[in-house]
Amino acid sequence: VNPRRLGERRLIDQIKARLREVAPPPPRGIGDDAALLGVPRAGGLLVSTDCLIESQHFQRHEPAYLLGRKALAVNLSDLAAMGGRPVAFLMTLALPAALPPRFLDLLVDGLGSSAREHGVSLVGGDTSMSPGPIVISITILGRTSGRRSDAVLQRSGARAGDGIYVSGALGASATGRLLLQAGWRPRLDARRRHLRGVSPARARGNATIAGGTMATRTRALEALRAHLDPAPRLELGRALIESRIASAAIDISDGLSIDLDRLCEASRAGARLMSPAIPIADSARALAAPLGRDPLHLALHGGEDYELLFTVPASRERLVAGLDAIFIGRITPAARGLLICDARGRQRRLPPRGFDHFAAPLRPGRAAGASRATR
Ligand SMILES: [Mg+2]
């Protein structure tokens, strides 16, 4: 598709046609100068925005269908971190003149599949030519789960003594990103939608995983899935609000250490993590070393896990049973900063480092085993 030849009107028509079930007709949906939404009588409106930029967040060779899903998923994850329910979203697309074949159709279909899964509709947006990269910007609207407008999870409620929990294993997405950088590629089904397997890097990359055994390929597929098709933790976010278990929450978008630092800063608190308790994804454990990385480092600083990180007052910790909640440490007074403790009780400072958009990307081939002693 060449968006320039297509023209904006036909581009929008094409998007509308492909999103028929998830784009309600005007006055609610696309087609007027603005979308009209009913305002909830009780509770509050949640608004958040996040964008994906080619070369910064994704590469053009990545599957367009999954890119559409991810563009919405990262926004839904922010709602999950607040314990909200998604309602509608707006999308602005900036597209260069030449795109890979069927890119737009697949992108929009992926977006639609995620929208249907989470019961959220596209109500408007904008399209533009881009002189450079593909840009997909989404603004999501949600509502609070409870009747009260302050019935949300926030970053600021953690207190010294609260338990720190994470909703799942970490480091798989960063492993997936490193595999892509090393030349590994996802294999898709015939409709170019779902991940079916992986193709190992041909000549590039580390010899240890070039070609790859069956087990290696299984782990590589898990890592690529985590990176390309993350699942927002909306149900858990709502459960945390409804049960009033959590004192604070954030989603892990840039990395456990940096997102924990943000939560601690908002709460004016510090934290001590127990490194043996940090759940490292199997794919990170299996593939970090051949990628020249330390698995714990990937779990602490890799980012894009889209798990929830939350704190629970000691008096409510028995209530986490039955939830996806893995205990990883405790909130401390602010003066102590971020600390990480190994199995023998040795403590060190935890630098809040993550996937920083303004810093150089992670370089493979360094730091393998550097912090293994702390695992
Ligand atoms: Mg967030």
Side-chain angles (χ1 to χ4, degrees):
V1 177
N2 182 329
R4 183 171 283 149
R5 240 182 297 143
L6 202 59
E8 188 175 30
R9 168 120 182 248
R10 279 181 56 208
L11 186 70
I12 294 169
D13 284 347
Q14 195 173 331
I15 292 171
K16 272 165 68 180
R18 299 197 84 84
L19 285 177
R20 209 169 294 125
E21 324 93 282
V22 295
R28 225 197 126 210
I30 308 167
D32 274 295
D33 291 295
L36 176 65
L37 301 177
V39 178
R41 269 185 216 181
L45 188 65
L46 292 163
V47 186
S48 180
T49 190
D50 219 330
C51 79
L52 296 181
I53 301 173
E54 182 185 1
S55 301
Q56 183 65 26
H57 303 98
F58 67 92
Q59 305 299 325
R60 198 170 291 202
H61 63 72
E62 289 176 29
Y65 184 86
L66 298 178
L67 198 56
R69 286 179 60 82
K70 185 168 178 175
L72 188 54
V74 300
N75 280 275
L76 290 167
S77 180
D78 280 326
L79 282 189
M82 302 286 291
R85 294 171 185 273
V87 172
F89 68 102
L90 299 135
M91 175 174 65
T92 292
L93 272 181
L95 300 171
L99 284 172
R102 297 202 54 218
F103 180 91
L104 184 65
D105 291 353
L106 287 164
L107 178 85
V108 171
D109 285 352
L111 198 75
S113 79
S114 175
R116 271 189 297 278
E117 237 166 70
H118 298 285
V120 59
S121 47
L122 177 68
V123 293
D126 195 13
T127 57
S128 170
M129 287 298 302
S130 166
I134 300 166
V135 179
I136 310 158
S137 173
I138 288 182
T139 298
I140 191 127
L141 304 170
R143 59 185 178 81
T144 56
S145 290
R147 289 242 191 120
R148 289 173 41 177
S149 58
D150 60 352
V152 286
L153 300 167
Q154 288 175 284
R155 298 176 180 182
S156 55
R159 297 292 172 260
D162 290 3
I164 304 170
Y165 292 81
V166 67
S167 59
L170 307 175
S173 177
T175 303
R177 186 172 66 236
L178 290 169
L179 287 169
L180 290 173
Q181 284 170 6
W184 286 61
R185 291 291 173 261
R187 275 195 288 107
L188 302 175
D189 61 0
R191 298 175 70 200
R192 290 165 59 192
R193 294 181 169 207
H194 301 292
L195 287 174
R196 284 288 172 263
V198 288
S199 301
R202 279 192 210 135
R204 297 161 58 210
N206 192 299
T208 322
I209 51 169
T213 61
M214 200 59 203
T216 303
R217 289 189 189 212
T218 305
R219 295 300 177 219
L221 181 59
E222 285 167 13
L224 287 183
R225 185 164 284 137
H227 185 67
L228 298 171
D229 194 14
R233 293 297 211 141
L234 285 156
E235 257 175 61
L236 177 63
R238 287 198 291 268
L240 292 175
I241 271 287
E242 281 157 16
S243 57
R244 296 164 176 256
I245 286 175
S247 49
I250 189 171
D251 68 323
I252 301 179
S253 54
D254 295 338
L256 171 61
S257 63
I258 197 163
D259 289 316
L260 176 61
D261 189 55
R262 287 170 181 147
L263 185 148
C264 284
E265 201 183 317
S267 295
R268 297 171 194 226
R272 184 192 291 113
L273 296 184
M274 319 306 293
S275 76
I278 291 167
I280 301 172
D282 292 338
S283 57
R285 280 191 193 282
L287 301 174
L291 285 164
R293 299 303 175 105
D294 173 64
L296 179 64
H297 191 273
L298 292 179
L300 287 171
H301 309 294
E304 293 204 275
D305 303 294
Y306 298 106
E307 294 291 348
L308 295 187
L309 172 68
F310 56 98
T311 57
V312 180
S315 62
R316 308 189 73 80
E317 281 185 277
R318 61 193 164 79
L319 301 173
V320 301
L323 293 179
D324 288 335
I326 301 157
F327 177 82
I328 57 169
R330 276 203 191 275
I331 295 292
T332 60
R336 303 206 187 140
L338 294 191
L339 299 169
I340 186 160
C341 212
D342 70 17
R344 288 187 228 159
R346 285 176 306 188
Q347 210 161 260
R348 65 176 171 93
R349 297 203 80 76
L350 176 65
R353 275 202 311 260
F355 180 64
D356 187 344
H357 300 274
F358 298 100
L362 293 167
R363 265 182 299 139
R366 283 196 340 182
S371 51
R372 187 143 303 158
T374 62
R375 269 180 60 197

Short mmCIF file of all heavy atoms in Angstrom, two decimals, residues 43-80:
data_model
loop_
_atom_site.label_atom_id
_atom_site.label_comp_id
_atom_site.label_asym_id
_atom_site.label_seq_id
_atom_site.Cartn_x
_atom_site.Cartn_y
_atom_site.Cartn_z
N GLY A 43 -17.84 7.67 39.43
CA GLY A 43 -16.50 7.22 39.06
C GLY A 43 -15.79 8.27 38.26
O GLY A 43 -16.28 9.37 38.06
N GLY A 44 -14.60 7.94 37.79
CA GLY A 44 -13.79 8.91 37.08
C GLY A 44 -13.38 8.42 35.71
O GLY A 44 -13.52 7.24 35.39
N LEU A 45 -12.90 9.36 34.90
CA LEU A 45 -12.42 9.06 33.56
C LEU A 45 -10.90 8.98 33.61
O LEU A 45 -10.25 9.86 34.17
CB LEU A 45 -12.87 10.19 32.64
CG LEU A 45 -12.66 10.04 31.15
CD1 LEU A 45 -13.50 8.90 30.59
CD2 LEU A 45 -13.04 11.35 30.45
N LEU A 46 -10.34 7.92 33.04
CA LEU A 46 -8.88 7.77 32.98
C LEU A 46 -8.42 8.01 31.55
O LEU A 46 -9.04 7.52 30.60
CB LEU A 46 -8.48 6.35 33.40
CG LEU A 46 -8.72 5.97 34.86
CD1 LEU A 46 -8.69 4.46 35.03
CD2 LEU A 46 -7.65 6.62 35.73
N VAL A 47 -7.37 8.77 31.37
CA VAL A 47 -6.86 9.08 30.04
C VAL A 47 -5.35 8.86 30.04
O VAL A 47 -4.66 9.28 30.97
CB VAL A 47 -7.14 10.55 29.65
CG1 VAL A 47 -6.74 10.81 28.21
CG2 VAL A 47 -8.60 10.89 29.85
N SER A 48 -4.86 8.20 29.01
CA SER A 48 -3.42 7.97 28.92
C SER A 48 -3.02 7.86 27.45
O SER A 48 -3.85 7.51 26.61
CB SER A 48 -3.06 6.69 29.67
OG SER A 48 -1.69 6.46 29.59
N THR A 49 -1.78 8.16 27.14
CA THR A 49 -1.33 8.05 25.75
C THR A 49 0.07 7.47 25.69
O THR A 49 0.86 7.63 26.62
CB THR A 49 -1.41 9.43 25.05
OG1 THR A 49 -1.19 9.25 23.65
CG2 THR A 49 -0.39 10.41 25.59
N ASP A 50 0.34 6.77 24.60
CA ASP A 50 1.62 6.11 24.42
C ASP A 50 1.83 5.92 22.93
O ASP A 50 0.87 5.63 22.23
CB ASP A 50 1.60 4.73 25.10
CG ASP A 50 2.93 4.43 25.79
OD1 ASP A 50 3.96 4.93 25.31
OD2 ASP A 50 2.92 3.70 26.79
N CYS A 51 3.03 6.12 22.44
CA CYS A 51 3.21 5.91 21.00
C CYS A 51 4.38 5.00 20.70
O CYS A 51 5.30 4.84 21.50
CB CYS A 51 3.31 7.24 20.27
SG CYS A 51 4.90 8.03 20.37
N LEU A 52 4.29 4.37 19.54
CA LEU A 52 5.35 3.50 19.05
C LEU A 52 5.96 4.15 17.80
O LEU A 52 5.23 4.50 16.87
CB LEU A 52 4.80 2.11 18.67
CG LEU A 52 4.21 1.26 19.80
CD1 LEU A 52 3.74 -0.09 19.25
CD2 LEU A 52 5.22 1.03 20.91
N ILE A 53 7.28 4.33 17.80
CA ILE A 53 7.97 4.96 16.69
C ILE A 53 8.95 3.97 16.07
O ILE A 53 9.74 3.34 16.79
CB ILE A 53 8.72 6.23 17.18
CG1 ILE A 53 7.72 7.22 17.78
CG2 ILE A 53 9.49 6.88 16.04
CD1 ILE A 53 8.36 8.41 18.45
N GLU A 54 8.84 3.85 14.76
CA GLU A 54 9.75 2.95 14.04
C GLU A 54 11.21 3.31 14.32
O GLU A 54 11.54 4.49 14.42
CB GLU A 54 9.47 3.07 12.53
CG GLU A 54 10.33 2.15 11.70
CD GLU A 54 10.14 2.37 10.21
OE1 GLU A 54 9.36 3.25 9.81
OE2 GLU A 54 10.80 1.65 9.45
N SER A 55 12.03 2.30 14.45
CA SER A 55 13.47 2.41 14.75
C SER A 55 13.75 2.68 16.23
O SER A 55 14.81 2.34 16.73
CB SER A 55 14.21 3.47 13.93
OG SER A 55 14.08 3.18 12.56
N GLN A 56 12.79 3.31 16.93
CA GLN A 56 12.95 3.53 18.36
C GLN A 56 12.31 2.39 19.15
O GLN A 56 12.94 1.81 20.04
CB GLN A 56 12.31 4.87 18.75
CG GLN A 56 12.47 5.24 20.20
CD GLN A 56 13.93 5.47 20.61
OE1 GLN A 56 14.77 5.81 19.79
NE2 GLN A 56 14.24 5.23 21.87
N HIS A 57 11.07 2.06 18.80
CA HIS A 57 10.34 1.02 19.53
C HIS A 57 10.17 -0.27 18.75
O HIS A 57 9.87 -1.31 19.31
CB HIS A 57 8.94 1.52 19.92
CG HIS A 57 8.96 2.76 20.74
ND1 HIS A 57 8.77 4.00 20.21
CD2 HIS A 57 9.16 2.95 22.06
CE1 HIS A 57 8.84 4.92 21.16
NE2 HIS A 57 9.08 4.30 22.29
N PHE A 58 10.27 -0.19 17.44
CA PHE A 58 10.11 -1.41 16.62
C PHE A 58 10.85 -1.19 15.30
O PHE A 58 11.23 -0.06 14.98
CB PHE A 58 8.62 -1.70 16.37
CG PHE A 58 7.92 -0.68 15.50
CD1 PHE A 58 7.84 -0.82 14.12
CD2 PHE A 58 7.35 0.45 16.07
CE1 PHE A 58 7.21 0.13 13.33
CE2 PHE A 58 6.70 1.41 15.30
CZ PHE A 58 6.64 1.25 13.91
N GLN A 59 11.05 -2.29 14.59
CA GLN A 59 11.68 -2.23 13.28
C GLN A 59 10.64 -2.60 12.22
O GLN A 59 9.70 -3.34 12.50
CB GLN A 59 12.86 -3.22 13.20
CG GLN A 59 13.90 -3.02 14.29
CD GLN A 59 14.57 -1.65 14.26
OE1 GLN A 59 14.79 -1.08 13.18
NE2 GLN A 59 14.87 -1.11 15.43
N ARG A 60 10.85 -2.11 11.00
CA ARG A 60 9.84 -2.31 9.96
C ARG A 60 9.61 -3.79 9.63
O ARG A 60 8.55 -4.17 9.17
CB ARG A 60 10.23 -1.53 8.70
CG ARG A 60 9.06 -1.31 7.76
CD ARG A 60 9.39 -0.35 6.65
NE ARG A 60 9.55 1.03 7.11
CZ ARG A 60 9.42 2.09 6.34
NH1 ARG A 60 9.14 1.95 5.06
NH2 ARG A 60 9.60 3.30 6.82
N HIS A 61 10.63 -4.63 9.87
CA HIS A 61 10.46 -6.05 9.53
C HIS A 61 9.59 -6.79 10.55
O HIS A 61 9.20 -7.93 10.33
CB HIS A 61 11.83 -6.73 9.40
CG HIS A 61 12.62 -6.74 10.68
ND1 HIS A 61 12.29 -7.54 11.76
CD2 HIS A 61 13.71 -6.03 11.07
CE1 HIS A 61 13.15 -7.33 12.74
NE2 HIS A 61 14.03 -6.41 12.35
N GLU A 62 9.29 -6.16 11.69
CA GLU A 62 8.48 -6.85 12.70
C GLU A 62 7.05 -7.03 12.19
O GLU A 62 6.55 -6.20 11.44
CB GLU A 62 8.51 -6.07 14.02
CG GLU A 62 9.87 -6.15 14.70
CD GLU A 62 9.98 -5.33 15.97
OE1 GLU A 62 8.95 -5.12 16.64
OE2 GLU A 62 11.10 -4.88 16.28
N PRO A 63 6.39 -8.13 12.62
CA PRO A 63 5.06 -8.43 12.08
C PRO A 63 4.04 -7.32 12.37
O PRO A 63 3.80 -6.96 13.52
CB PRO A 63 4.66 -9.73 12.80
CG PRO A 63 5.93 -10.29 13.34
CD PRO A 63 6.85 -9.14 13.57
N ALA A 64 3.43 -6.79 11.29
CA ALA A 64 2.52 -5.64 11.42
C ALA A 64 1.30 -5.97 12.28
O ALA A 64 0.83 -5.13 13.05
CB ALA A 64 2.08 -5.17 10.03
N TYR A 65 0.79 -7.20 12.16
CA TYR A 65 -0.39 -7.59 12.94
C TYR A 65 -0.09 -7.48 14.44
O TYR A 65 -0.87 -6.93 15.22
CB TYR A 65 -0.78 -9.02 12.56
CG TYR A 65 -2.04 -9.53 13.22
CD1 TYR A 65 -3.29 -9.28 12.66
CD2 TYR A 65 -1.98 -10.29 14.39
CE1 TYR A 65 -4.46 -9.76 13.26
CE2 TYR A 65 -3.13 -10.77 14.99
CZ TYR A 65 -4.37 -10.50 14.42
OH TYR A 65 -5.51 -10.97 15.02
N LEU A 66 1.08 -7.99 14.84
CA LEU A 66 1.45 -7.96 16.26
C LEU A 66 1.78 -6.54 16.72
O LEU A 66 1.54 -6.17 17.86
CB LEU A 66 2.62 -8.91 16.52
CG LEU A 66 2.32 -10.39 16.20
CD1 LEU A 66 3.55 -11.25 16.44
CD2 LEU A 66 1.14 -10.89 17.04
N LEU A 67 2.30 -5.75 15.79
CA LEU A 67 2.56 -4.34 16.10
C LEU A 67 1.26 -3.61 16.44
O LEU A 67 1.21 -2.81 17.38
CB LEU A 67 3.22 -3.71 14.87
CG LEU A 67 3.96 -2.41 15.04
CD1 LEU A 67 5.04 -2.54 16.08
CD2 LEU A 67 4.54 -1.98 13.70
N GLY A 68 0.21 -3.91 15.69
CA GLY A 68 -1.11 -3.33 15.98
C GLY A 68 -1.59 -3.74 17.37
O GLY A 68 -2.09 -2.92 18.14
N ARG A 69 -1.42 -5.02 17.67
CA ARG A 69 -1.83 -5.50 19.00
C ARG A 69 -1.03 -4.82 20.10
O ARG A 69 -1.55 -4.41 21.13
CB ARG A 69 -1.64 -7.03 19.10
CG ARG A 69 -2.69 -7.81 18.33
CD ARG A 69 -2.46 -9.31 18.43
NE ARG A 69 -2.49 -9.81 19.80
CZ ARG A 69 -3.61 -10.09 20.48
NH1 ARG A 69 -4.78 -9.92 19.91
NH2 ARG A 69 -3.54 -10.54 21.71
N LYS A 70 0.29 -4.68 19.87
CA LYS A 70 1.16 -4.12 20.90
C LYS A 70 0.87 -2.63 21.12
O LYS A 70 0.90 -2.14 22.26
CB LYS A 70 2.63 -4.33 20.53
CG LYS A 70 3.60 -3.88 21.62
CD LYS A 70 5.01 -4.35 21.33
CE LYS A 70 5.98 -3.87 22.40
NZ LYS A 70 7.33 -4.43 22.20
N ALA A 71 0.58 -1.91 20.03
CA ALA A 71 0.30 -0.47 20.14
C ALA A 71 -0.86 -0.23 21.10
O ALA A 71 -0.83 0.71 21.91
CB ALA A 71 0.00 0.12 18.77
N LEU A 72 -1.87 -1.10 21.05
CA LEU A 72 -3.00 -0.96 21.97
C LEU A 72 -2.64 -1.53 23.35
O LEU A 72 -2.98 -0.96 24.38
CB LEU A 72 -4.24 -1.65 21.39
CG LEU A 72 -5.55 -1.42 22.14
CD1 LEU A 72 -5.85 0.07 22.32
CD2 LEU A 72 -6.72 -2.09 21.41
N ALA A 73 -1.93 -2.66 23.35
CA ALA A 73 -1.61 -3.34 24.62
C ALA A 73 -0.82 -2.44 25.58
O ALA A 73 -1.07 -2.44 26.78
CB ALA A 73 -0.83 -4.62 24.35
N VAL A 74 0.13 -1.67 25.06
CA VAL A 74 0.95 -0.85 25.95
C VAL A 74 0.10 0.26 26.60
O VAL A 74 0.35 0.66 27.73
CB VAL A 74 2.20 -0.25 25.25
CG1 VAL A 74 3.09 -1.36 24.72
CG2 VAL A 74 1.84 0.71 24.14
N ASN A 75 -0.92 0.71 25.87
CA ASN A 75 -1.85 1.68 26.45
C ASN A 75 -2.77 1.03 27.48
O ASN A 75 -3.04 1.60 28.54
CB ASN A 75 -2.68 2.34 25.34
CG ASN A 75 -1.91 3.43 24.62
OD1 ASN A 75 -1.89 4.57 25.07
ND2 ASN A 75 -1.23 3.08 23.53
N LEU A 76 -3.26 -0.16 27.15
CA LEU A 76 -4.12 -0.89 28.09
C LEU A 76 -3.37 -1.20 29.37
O LEU A 76 -3.94 -1.21 30.46
CB LEU A 76 -4.61 -2.19 27.44
CG LEU A 76 -5.61 -2.02 26.29
CD1 LEU A 76 -5.78 -3.32 25.51
CD2 LEU A 76 -6.97 -1.54 26.81
N SER A 77 -2.06 -1.43 29.26
CA SER A 77 -1.26 -1.74 30.43
C SER A 77 -1.23 -0.56 31.41
O SER A 77 -1.23 -0.75 32.63
CB SER A 77 0.16 -2.11 30.00
OG SER A 77 0.96 -2.41 31.11
N ASP A 78 -1.22 0.66 30.88
CA ASP A 78 -1.27 1.84 31.75
C ASP A 78 -2.60 1.91 32.50
O ASP A 78 -2.64 2.30 33.67
CB ASP A 78 -1.03 3.12 30.96
CG ASP A 78 0.46 3.34 30.69
OD1 ASP A 78 1.29 2.98 31.54
OD2 ASP A 78 0.79 3.88 29.62
N LEU A 79 -3.69 1.53 31.83
CA LEU A 79 -4.98 1.49 32.52
C LEU A 79 -4.97 0.39 33.58
O LEU A 79 -5.52 0.58 34.68
CB LEU A 79 -6.12 1.19 31.53
CG LEU A 79 -6.64 2.31 30.65
CD1 LEU A 79 -7.90 1.82 29.93
CD2 LEU A 79 -6.97 3.56 31.46
N ALA A 80 -4.36 -0.75 33.25
CA ALA A 80 -4.28 -1.86 34.20
C ALA A 80 -3.56 -1.40 35.47
O ALA A 80 -3.98 -1.74 36.59
CB ALA A 80 -3.54 -3.04 33.58
#
